[in-house]
Amino acid sequence: MALASRLRRVFTVPSTLSSRFASIRLNSTLTSPKLFISGLSRETTDEQFKEAFNPFGQIVDAKIVRDRATGRSKGFGFVTYTSIEEAEKAREEMNAKFLHGWVIFVDPAKPREFKPTPRSESGPSETGFRTNKTVGWCG
């Protein structure tokens, strides 16, 4: 019996700790009216997505990101409101809520980072082929 109570204490997360994590997630303030929504069901359509976030304010844009090749949802999307106050209200109301059977998370959208294209050191030769710099024999 003592072993069971010790194990229970080890494996349970104190409520103060879990509430700290929840408050950390909500503490960052919004600087733009654009929200990043993750955890979306693959079956959620753009219309259903927009309807879910419509009650919190006027939506400028609501889009689910889709795979280019298959057209299937990648499980996240973006919603842009007309004001930061509307976005903050939507964030407070919809964060960690169920949408079509899945728990979604609403966070501030971060600006897209510039990623330079990788450049090879040796360009194509006059024949159009690149030289392979593998040293040694593979076989």
Side-chain angles (χ1 to χ4, degrees), residues 22-43:
S23 66
I24 288 171
R25 188 175 187 106
L26 285 174
N27 269 351
S28 61
T29 58
L30 291 175
T31 57
S32 77
K34 191 169 188 176
L35 298 173
F36 170 74
I37 292 85
S38 60
L40 292 171
S41 168
R42 306 272 189 245
E43 309 302 319

Side-chain angles (χ1 to χ4, degrees), residues 26 32 46 86 106 120 123 128 134:
L26 285 174
S32 77
D46 285 328
E86 292 172 341
V106 182
S120 64
T134 304

Side-chain angles (χ1 to χ4, degrees), residues 86-118:
E86 292 172 341
E88 188 65 47
K89 183 179 176 186
R91 182 175 175 217
E92 290 171 2
E93 295 291 326
M94 292 296 286
N95 191 33
K97 301 290 186 220
F98 282 93
L99 182 64
H100 300 116
W102 289 57
V103 177
I104 61 169
F105 297 99
V106 182
D107 294 310
K110 296 177 185 171
R112 183 179 263 184
E113 293 179 8
F114 174 72
K115 294 182 182 177
T117 56

Side-chain angles (χ1 to χ4, degrees), residues 21-76:
F21 288 133
S23 66
I24 288 171
R25 188 175 187 106
L26 285 174
N27 269 351
S28 61
T29 58
L30 291 175
T31 57
S32 77
K34 191 169 188 176
L35 298 173
F36 170 74
I37 292 85
S38 60
L40 292 171
S41 168
R42 306 272 189 245
E43 309 302 319
T44 303
T45 64
D46 285 328
E47 294 80 26
Q48 292 170 332
F49 184 58
K50 190 171 185 174
E51 285 175 19
F53 284 88
N54 214 13
F56 308 106
Q58 186 176 359
I59 295 177
V60 175
D61 186 34
K63 191 175 286 187
I64 295 176
V65 177
R66 302 195 174 279
D67 184 86
R68 288 183 192 155
T70 63
R72 290 189 62 202
S73 166
K74 287 191 170 187
F76 65 93

